[in-house]
């Protein structure tokens, strides 16, 4: 089991590190050097843990979009802190993407992604759903949940009709943007899943996502906002004002950025990636100043499995070192994903043990399970190091 002994704090950032997939007992040289985050962030996180009411949002690439790692972390956290609700739901089902807590039935809603459609007005997450006349969509939770407070990011044109929402009790809800000015706004209602959303004459309407949380706001919520193949620089395709407003409304206690694999594979200039990362952190802090931030270091990955260790992407090490440097200089948490795996030359072992896929990039369900539990244990240990 992963424990708080995986934590090491480096310089000005809280540095979270697990030393192997099957860690050895703590060594005397593995000490904690505490120079904490800014007081407001640290206090917010510690308060959330004390109240057993914590809201975590992870944004990333396919590792996040699969929602295996994040669900394993979610389950572990909810076992300790209680189930706070299923969290964010993508606006509708997207091909090749998955949410562990939700299912969709869709007739007529179009799924649009910032990964492929660049000139669209996106909110946080970079995914939207737009309806045709008479479109119907049902969003269900895979397990029965308590009544949820649902916050919806929505934009509508002046002539768009309200959307009609019906929950599992038969409650009828009118869903609309206020005002209908083609800008992103937030509508909130209480409902029991499944919910069915019907459109009428809604030619300019778009949904950006559904945030579901228990009405009593107790327990842990862990939302996974990922897009397959995504890179951090593609975040620039989103409406900055809109996603900052959304973060401000949701106000996560912890925001996790899980990027780097695609940047390494696509051989992006590390200095440019670094500048983009620093700018994104600054924008997040402006939007949600009390949120702590965690960077997940890019995991060990391979372009080829040839040789004893395989062939890593040329810039992977450079990119990982940059992420550590940014975490230190920007005072964010850092989770060393590669160290959790056992360091460099670990991917082939993970493949051989059935924990990673033969592509050298993605993990199996059991591999993500192990990683997610390790991440959750590291998160649970954070308040002890403030």
């Amino acid at each position: 089991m992963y424990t708080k002994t995986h934590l090491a704090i480096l310089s000005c950032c809280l540095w979270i590190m697990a030393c192997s997939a099957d860690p050895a007992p703590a060594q005397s040289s593995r000490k904690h050097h505490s120079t904490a985050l800014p007081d407001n962030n640290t206090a917010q996180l510690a308060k959330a843990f004390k109240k057993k009411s914590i809201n975590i949002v992870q944004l990333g690439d396919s590792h996040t979009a699969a929602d295996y790692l994040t669900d394993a972390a979610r389950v572990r956290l909810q076992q300790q802190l209680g189930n706070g609700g299923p969290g964010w739901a993508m606006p509708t089902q997207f091909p090749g993407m998955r949410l562990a807590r939700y299912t969709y039935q869709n007739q007529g809603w179009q799924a649009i992604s910032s990964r492929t459609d660049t000139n669209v007005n996106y909110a946080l997450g970079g995914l939207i759903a737009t309806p045709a006349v008479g479109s119907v969509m049902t969003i269900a939770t895979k397990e029965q949940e308590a009544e949820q407070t649902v916050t919806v990011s929505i934009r509508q044109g002046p002539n768009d009709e309200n959307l009609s929402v019906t929950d599992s009790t038969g409650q009828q809800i009118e869903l609309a943007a206020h005002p209908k000015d083609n800008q992103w706004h937030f509508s909130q209602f209480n409902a029991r899943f499944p919910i069915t959303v019907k459109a009428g004459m809604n030619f300019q309407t778009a949904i950006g996502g559904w945030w579901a949380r228990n009405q009593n706001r107790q327990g842990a919520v862990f939302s996974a906002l990922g897009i397959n193949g995504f890179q951090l620089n593609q975040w620039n395709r989103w409406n900055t004002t809109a996603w900052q407003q959304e973060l401000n409304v949701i106000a996560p206690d912890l925001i996790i950025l899980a990027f780097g694999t695609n940047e390494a594979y696509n051989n992006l200039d590390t200095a440019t990636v670094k500048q983009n990362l620093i700018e994104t952190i600054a924008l997040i802090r402006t939007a949600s100043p009390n949120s702590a931030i965690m960077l997940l270091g890019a995991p060990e990955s391979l372009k080829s499995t040839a040789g004893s260790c395989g062939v890593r992407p040329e810039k992977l090490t450079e990119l990982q070192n940059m992420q550590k440097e940014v975490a230190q200089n920007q005072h964010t948490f850092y989770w060393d994903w590669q160290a959790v795996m056992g360091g460099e030359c670990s991917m082939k072992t993970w493949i051989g043990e059935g924990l990673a896929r033969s592509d050298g990039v993605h993990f199996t369900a059991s591999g993500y399970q192990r990683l997610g539990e390790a991440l959750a244990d590291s998160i649970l240990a954070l308040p002890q190091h403030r």
Side-chain angles (χ1 to χ4, degrees), residues 49 56 131 140 326:
F49 276 105
I56 300 173
V326 169

Side-chain angles (χ1 to χ4, degrees), residues 237-250:
R237 299 171 183 175
W238 307 351
N239 181 325
T240 301
T241 299
W243 73 253
Q244 285 188 304
Q245 288 176 343
E246 193 160 351
L247 271 187
N248 184 263
V249 168
I250 301 304

Side-chain angles (χ1 to χ4, degrees), residues 231-356:
Q231 298 174 171
L232 184 62
N233 61 6
Q234 293 166 352
W235 196 324
N236 298 328
R237 299 171 183 175
W238 307 351
N239 181 325
T240 301
T241 299
W243 73 253
Q244 285 188 304
Q245 288 176 343
E246 193 160 351
L247 271 187
N248 184 263
V249 168
I250 301 304
D253 301 295
L254 177 64
I255 298 169
I256 301 174
L257 302 181
F259 296 92
T261 296
N262 294 305
E263 285 82 351
Y265 266 78
N266 293 325
N267 207 31
L268 296 190
D269 177 65
T270 303
T272 302
V273 177
K274 177 181 179 180
Q275 185 60 36
N276 186 229
L277 180 55
I278 292 171
E279 290 171 357
T280 301
I281 291 170
L283 289 169
I284 289 171
R285 283 182 166 152
T286 298
S288 190
N290 291 327
S291 299
I293 299 174
M294 176 186 286
L295 305 187
L296 299 196
E300 164 80 343
S301 56
L302 303 176
K303 298 193 77 170
S304 166
T305 57
S308 59
C309 290
V311 180
R312 290 159 55 88
E314 182 180 347
K315 289 197 173 181
L316 179 57
T317 300
E318 182 179 300
L319 184 135
Q320 291 167 331
N321 290 336
M322 178 274 291
Q323 291 175 317
K324 294 174 185 177
E325 179 188 344
V326 169
Q328 179 178 355
N329 293 336
Q330 298 299 314
H331 311 287
T332 77
F333 296 111
Y334 180 82
W335 194 69
D336 196 328
W337 189 331
Q338 181 171 276
V340 174
M341 297 173 63
E344 288 193 31
C345 200
S346 58
M347 179 56 86
K348 287 193 71 171
T349 300
W350 278 59
I351 293 172
E353 294 180 356
L355 299 172

Side-chain angles (χ1 to χ4, degrees), residues 123-135:
L124 185 70
L127 304 172
I128 62 171
T130 59
V133 176
S135 296

Side-chain angles (χ1 to χ4, degrees), residues 2 49-51 68 76 82 93 99 115 129 134 164 187 190 194 201 232 277 281 287 293 305-306 358-359 371 373:
Y2 291 84
F49 276 105
K50 185 176 181 179
K51 293 171 61 179
Y68 286 105
R76 180 82 104 197
Q93 183 63 58
L99 287 173
R115 176 76 175 89
S164 175
S187 183
N190 295 328
M201 307 295 283
L232 184 62
L277 180 55
I281 291 170
I293 299 174
T305 57
S358 59
D359 64 6
L371 292 164
E373 290 175 354

